[in-house]
């Protein structure tokens, strides 16, 4: 046995290095969000044709569907990050309900500044996210079950408490509490543009998406998110703090739910215990349409943004086209199925499946 | 190559060209009379072994022989219930694989080496991402990561078009090689390789063996766990053979033939009778097959071919 250095790259190794150049066009087609981009274009074209002269393409039309898309999009972006890390959060809808009621009850019942309610709701939401995360990582139960349980627990307590305190399930008159004006400016300001009113929630959506995509693709935490979803055991072996990453992302979805709740109650000037109902499903649909893999480890924030945009255009498009809104659910379901099929194909290609 | 941007977990961190700077043959780690029990089950009893710089130490044993328990003790997942674990001359008590990593002991698991859907460079630097920027704007320095990954793989003879391509596009052997390169790059002095050639074809296994030989040439200590004698024999300097939780001892390659190793792995004389019976079955089967189809015979030939190729490869590498 000798300790001579062995020359690398002799013949039999070279043979294993085979790959071919892939055209930029093909590479573009392999991105996870390409299906969602095509879907968004198709949906826009369909409704542009159906409702061109009914205002779908007008500034007012754009503002309406962007508002719907923004409120779902803020949530979908956070849900996408969590799903890439391999977990679900079904409790976000109930956090929206609970957060909005807490933020509304505190100033109206106690007669104190609105901001106390907003901050309390924030702390409450982060706490719920933290508890969700800790229960999931400690018990190793599927997050689907854990957060399904918290969905029902939180929704039940919200309805029960609100009826106990007010005798109703709604809290109105928010515009009269001190501090409402400043909160409404931050969460529900309308920006006049091209003769239409664009709600500031669109800006929030863009900011949340921009930060999230930067974190996911350009930071150490982002690399850990992919790894935690791709293979948690392997990730732990190389020193990734798997549990902390997951808990952080559960808190992040709760934070997004809080932001959506604040936007909704400041623009509606009232809170409702049923606010956010079924939003968890729409957020997951948006993320999946955007190419996020249900089993984790794969997906993009931009995809979830496009998924939410598709949702907004479908939801408002049918209204502009004069179609009964009952059809929205069917269209979304069909798109979800189509998206999953397209995304599976794209992913197999990305892994170099043979033609 | 810049290592100022990241805080290495392991000591060293001088790239894969690094040569371990101790005399060849220096003892890197040792296990003395180690036992491990799980309730009433004896997973490992009174096992001793040591690892020297610049050697490949094969840990052989059939399924259930206690190989996994031994690796997990070496890599810090378990602590021995009895006996001592020494790194250098110092007794250690590892609480996690991270403690072992900090002492330069890196383990590459067969199926946990890489995350297939992530890019190659993202995998390579997972957990030790180079960062640049300041405060909240600190970011993963992908350019540096990509450049180093491409360079390190090039040194191993793996040419990649794009370091951001998914690891799933690499072959099984390339994945193992990248995982080994990563451990070496981040400063491992001891490589513990769990069945690195198990699911690989002949050529791919040869690539991995070649890389193991390179690590040895840089004076690293390699523990090579396998149940496949034909992969271990050509490359290993010493063998420790486990059977039912106990060790048959450590043997120099010169003192033991391949057949003796196989026999010890199988459990010795007890199994010899069974072996004879099996041979008889195999002979009958072969006769039947030879009558029915010529393919079976060809398969046998290709297995022998594979063994020979590996042996030549090993001789060439170590010669």
């Amino acid at each position: 046995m000798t300790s001579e250095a062995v020359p690398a790259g002799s013949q039999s190794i070279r043979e294993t290095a085979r790959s071919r150049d892939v055209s930029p066009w093909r590479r573009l087609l392999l991105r996870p969000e390409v299906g969602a981009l095509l879907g968004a274009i198709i949906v826009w074209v369909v409704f542009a044709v159906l409702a061109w002269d009914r205002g779908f393409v007008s500034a007012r039309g754009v503002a309406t569907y962007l508002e719907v898309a923004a409120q779902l999009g803020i949530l979908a972006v956070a849900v996408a990050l969590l799903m890439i890390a391999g977990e679900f959060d079904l409790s976000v809808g109930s956090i929206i309900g609970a957060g909005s009621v807490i933020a509304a009850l505190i100033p109206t019942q106690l007669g104190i500044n609105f901001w106390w309610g907003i901050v309390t709701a924030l702390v409450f939401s982060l706490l719920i996210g933290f508890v969700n995360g800790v229960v999931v990582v400690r018990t190793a139960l599927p997050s689907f079950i854990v957060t399904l349980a918290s969905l029902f627990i939180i929704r039940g307590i919200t309805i029960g408490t609100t009826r106990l305190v007010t005798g109703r399930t709604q809290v109105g008159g928010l515009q009269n509490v001190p501090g409402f004006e400043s909160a409404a400016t931050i969460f529900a300001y309308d920006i006049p543009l091209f003769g239409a009113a664009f709600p500031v929630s669109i800006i929030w959506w863009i900011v949340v998406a921009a930060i999230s995509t930067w974190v996911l693709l350009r930071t150490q935490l982002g690399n850990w998110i992919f790894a935690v979803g791709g293979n948690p055991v392997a990730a732990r072996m190389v020193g990734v703090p798997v549990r902390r990453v997951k808990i952080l992302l559960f808190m992040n979805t709760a934070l997004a739910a809080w932001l959506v709740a604040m936007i909704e109650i400041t623009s509606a000037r009232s809170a409702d215990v049923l606010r956010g109902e079924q939003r968890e499903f729409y957020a997951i649909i948006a993320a999946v349409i955007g190419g996020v893999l249900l089993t984790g480890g794969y997906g993009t924030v931009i995809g979830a943004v496009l998924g939410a945009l598709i949702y907004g255009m479908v939801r408002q498009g049918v209204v502009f086209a004069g179609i009964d809104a009952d059809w929205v659910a069917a269209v979304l379901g069909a798109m979800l199925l189509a998206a999953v099929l397209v995304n599976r194909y794209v992913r197999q290609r990305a892994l170099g499946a043979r033609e | 190559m810049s290592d100022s941007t990241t805080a290495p977990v392991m000591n060293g961190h001088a790239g894969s060209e690094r040569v371990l700077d101790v005399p060849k043959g220096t003892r890197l780690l040792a296990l003395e009379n180690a036992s491990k029990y799980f309730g009433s089950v004896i997973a490992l009893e009174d096992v001793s072994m040591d690892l020297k710089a610049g050697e490949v130490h094969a840990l052989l044993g059939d399924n259930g022989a206690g190989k996994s328990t031994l690796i997990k003790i070496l890599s810090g997942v378990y602590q021995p219930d009895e006996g001592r674990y020494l790194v250098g001359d110092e007794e250690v008590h590892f609480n996690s694989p991270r403690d072992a990593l900090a002492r330069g002991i890196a383990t590459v698991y067969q199926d946990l080496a890489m995350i297939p859907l992530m890019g190659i460079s993202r995998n390579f630097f997972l957990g030790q991402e180079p960062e640049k920027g300041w405060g909240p704007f600190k970011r993963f320095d992908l350019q540096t990561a990509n450049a180093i990954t491409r360079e390190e793989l090039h040194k191993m003879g793996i040419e990649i078009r794009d370091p951001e391509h998914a690891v799933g596009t690499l072959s099984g052997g390339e994945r193992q090689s990248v995982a080994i390169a990563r451990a070496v790059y981040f400063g491992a002095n001891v490589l513990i390789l769990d069945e690195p050639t198990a699911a690989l074809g002949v050529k791919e296994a040869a690539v991995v063996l070649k890389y193991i030989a390179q690590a040895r040439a840089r004076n690293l200590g390699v523990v090579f766990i396998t149940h496949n004698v034909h992969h271990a024999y050509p490359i290993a300097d010493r063998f420790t053979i486990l059977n039912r939780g106990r060790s048959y001892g450590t043997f120099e390659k010169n003192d033991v033939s391949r057949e003796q190793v196989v026999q010890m792995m199988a459990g010795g004389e007890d199994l010899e009778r069974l072996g004879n019976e099996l041979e008889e079955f195999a002979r009958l089967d072969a006769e039947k097959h030879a009558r029915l189809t010529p393919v079976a015979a060809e398969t046998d030939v290709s297995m022998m071919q594979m063994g020979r190729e590996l042996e030549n490869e090993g001789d060439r590498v170590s010669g």
Side-chain angles (χ1 to χ4, degrees):
Chain A
M1 218 41 55
T2 73
S3 60
E4 286 166 24
V6 176
S10 56
Q11 191 51 42
S12 68
I13 297 185
R14 283 241 174 78
E15 281 173 14
T16 67
R18 37 169 218 221
S19 65
R20 63 193 172 91
D21 276 321
V22 178
S23 73
W25 173 242
R26 262 184 76 89
R27 288 186 53 152
L28 182 72
L29 284 179
L30 289 178
R31 294 197 53 83
E33 61 272 58
V34 69
L37 183 62
L38 287 177
I41 293 169
I42 292 169
V43 167
W44 186 86
V45 168
V46 166
F47 286 111
V49 169
L50 285 178
W52 183 276
D53 47 3
R54 297 177 190 221
F56 183 73
V57 294
S58 71
R60 193 178 61 83
V62 173
T64 354
Y65 69 70
L66 280 187
E67 179 174 14
V68 175
Q71 293 196 5
L72 181 67
I74 291 169
L75 215 50
V77 163
V79 165
L81 289 184
L82 183 66
M83 283 175 68
I84 293 169
E87 302 291 352
F88 284 101
D89 190 349
L90 296 183
S91 71
V92 286
S94 66
I95 296 176
I96 294 177
S100 47
V101 166
I102 289 172
L105 272 184
I106 285 177
T108 50
Q109 293 293 313
L110 305 180
I112 55 177
N113 193 290
F114 189 29
W115 282 98
W116 288 110
I118 292 173
V119 171
T120 311
L122 173 64
V123 173
F124 168 83
S125 304
L126 290 175
L127 193 68
I128 296 293
F130 180 74
V131 170
N132 276 338
V134 168
V135 172
V136 167
V137 301
R138 288 271 164 194
T139 62
L141 286 170
S143 50
F144 189 92
I145 299 300
V146 171
T147 56
L148 185 64
S150 29
L151 162 65
F152 278 83
I153 294 169
I154 297 167
R155 185 72 77 192
I157 292 176
T158 307
I159 298 175
T161 316
T162 312
R163 216 191 291 273
L164 265 182
V165 174
T166 65
R168 305 167 59 223
T169 57
Q170 286 157 339
V171 185
L174 272 181
Q175 65 275 24
N176 302 324
V177 301
F180 177 82
E181 284 308 319
S182 58
T185 309
I186 289 173
F187 294 116
Y189 186 74
D190 280 334
I191 304 159
L193 206 62
F194 309 117
F198 286 81
V200 73
S201 56
I202 299 169
I203 308 280
W204 279 106
W205 181 31
I206 293 169
V207 169
V208 166
I211 294 174
S212 301
T213 196
W214 181 78
V215 166
L216 184 65
L217 298 177
R218 287 288 172 266
T219 69
Q220 183 178 53
L221 178 62
N223 212 34
W224 291 356
I225 291 172
F226 280 119
V228 163
N231 189 336
V233 184
R236 191 175 301 128
M237 294 285 183
V238 295
V240 174
V242 174
R243 293 177 164 199
R244 261 192 290 158
V245 169
K246 286 191 174 179
I247 293 172
L248 186 72
L249 291 176
F250 273 108
M251 293 175 74
N252 187 49
T253 54
L255 179 66
W258 167 83
L259 178 55
V260 171
M262 296 310 107
I263 289 168
E264 292 196 353
I265 60 172
T266 44
S267 35
R269 296 160 186 228
S270 69
D272 186 322
V273 290
L274 292 182
R275 224 167 247 298
E277 209 172 28
Q278 291 195 353
R279 202 73 63 81
E280 56 277 349
F281 295 116
Y282 290 119
I284 292 173
I285 289 174
V288 171
I289 287 180
V292 175
L293 185 59
L294 261 123
T295 46
Y298 193 73
T300 63
V301 168
I302 303 303
V305 166
L306 290 168
L309 183 62
I310 289 175
Y311 170 82
M313 288 195 294
V314 170
R315 173 125 283 183
Q316 294 311 114
V318 294
V319 176
F320 280 106
I323 306 168
D324 198 318
D326 297 345
W327 295 94
V328 170
V331 173
L332 283 175
M335 292 200 68
L336 178 65
L337 191 60
V340 173
L341 293 173
V342 169
N343 292 340
R344 186 180 61 170
Y345 174 79
V346 169
R347 194 171 58 254
Q348 283 168 347
R349 281 304 157 91
L351 281 175
R354 306 288 192 267
E355 315 257 333
Chain B
M1 205 173 313
S2 142
D3 60 0
S4 57
T5 48
T6 179
V9 169
M10 290 175 244
N11 50 347
H13 190 296
S16 63
E17 295 289 81
R18 180 178 58 96
V19 173
L20 180 58
D21 191 19
V22 296
K24 184 174 154 59
T26 307
R27 190 176 76 174
L28 295 176
L29 55 81
L31 218 51
E32 292 178 351
N33 310 105
S35 300
K36 180 76 191 173
Y37 309 106
F38 296 103
S40 62
V41 178
I42 301 168
L44 215 57
E45 187 155 57
D46 198 23
V47 169
S48 298
M49 68 169 287
D50 64 345
L51 179 71
K52 296 171 185 165
E55 79 161 341
V56 175
H57 192 135
L59 192 59
L60 290 160
D62 215 339
N63 292 333
K67 293 184 309 247
S68 314
T69 310
L70 188 50
I71 315 165
K72 283 182 176 160
I73 290 175
L74 293 178
S75 62
V77 178
Y78 297 152
Q79 287 213 27
D81 292 326
E82 287 163 16
R84 304 204 304 157
Y85 182 8
L86 306 172
V87 173
D89 290 322
E90 180 195 343
E91 185 170 358
V92 290
H93 299 278
F94 292 149
N95 290 314
S96 77
R98 227 179 147 75
D99 292 349
L101 272 176
R103 297 296 297 261
I105 300 166
T107 310
V108 176
Y109 291 93
Q110 179 194 342
D111 41 356
L112 297 174
M114 293 272 140
I115 297 172
L117 279 168
M118 284 175 74
I120 300 164
S121 54
R122 284 176 173 271
N123 261 288
F124 196 93
F125 283 94
L126 183 58
Q128 323 227 17
E129 292 84 354
E131 289 187 296
K132 63 180 178 190
W134 167 86
F137 304 106
K138 208 191 286 182
R139 60 197 185 276
F140 180 11
D141 187 357
L142 256 177
Q143 279 89 17
T144 304
N146 286 343
I148 295 175
T149 304
R150 187 191 292 277
E151 175 63 23
E152 291 298 316
L153 295 197
H154 170 74
K155 283 183 205 158
M156 301 170 46
I158 298 175
E159 303 296 338
I160 44 172
R161 298 251 179 240
D162 185 350
E164 293 189 44
H165 270 182
V167 156
T169 60
L170 295 177
S171 71
E174 285 170 338
R175 277 185 232 182
Q176 285 292 331
S177 304
V178 174
I180 296 171
R182 174 174 66 185
V184 175
Y185 178 79
F186 285 109
N189 302 328
V190 173
L191 283 176
I192 300 173
L193 307 177
D194 176 26
E195 300 276 6
T197 57
L200 304 183
V202 178
K203 275 199 178 141
E204 287 203 324
V207 172
V208 174
L209 292 182
K210 191 170 291 186
Y211 207 59
I212 293 174
Q214 284 188 22
R216 168 173 59 195
R218 300 211 180 88
N219 212 20
L220 271 56
V222 180
V223 180
F224 179 2
I225 294 105
T226 180
H227 60 261
N228 188 333
V229 185
H230 305 292
H231 288 173
Y233 197 83
I235 194 158
D237 303 303
R238 291 195 295 163
F239 304 89
T240 292
I241 299 158
L242 293 179
N243 185 259
R244 300 192 190 185
R246 278 166 234 262
S247 170
Y248 276 107
T250 300
F251 303 91
E252 296 280 339
K253 188 176 191 169
N254 297 336
D255 301 340
V256 66
S257 73
R258 185 188 299 222
E259 287 65 33
Q260 285 170 309
V261 173
V262 174
Q263 204 187 9
M264 281 189 277
M265 276 176 69
E269 287 138 27
D270 270 358
L271 287 176
E272 207 163 320
R273 276 195 306 277
L274 177 62
N276 289 338
E277 276 175 46
L278 287 175
E279 248 169 59
E280 181 63 15
F281 284 135
R283 198 178 57 77
L284 293 174
D285 271 2
E287 278 176 13
K288 209 184 295 173
H289 273 281
R291 279 202 304 273
L292 293 174
T293 157
V295 176
E298 272 172 32
T299 312
D300 274 357
V301 170
S302 65
M303 292 284 282
M304 273 150 52
Q305 181 75 25
M306 165 177 159
R308 267 200 300 278
E309 270 183 38
L310 272 178
E311 211 166 329
N312 295 340
E313 189 68 51
D315 290 347
R316 210 164 55 74
V317 165
S318 56

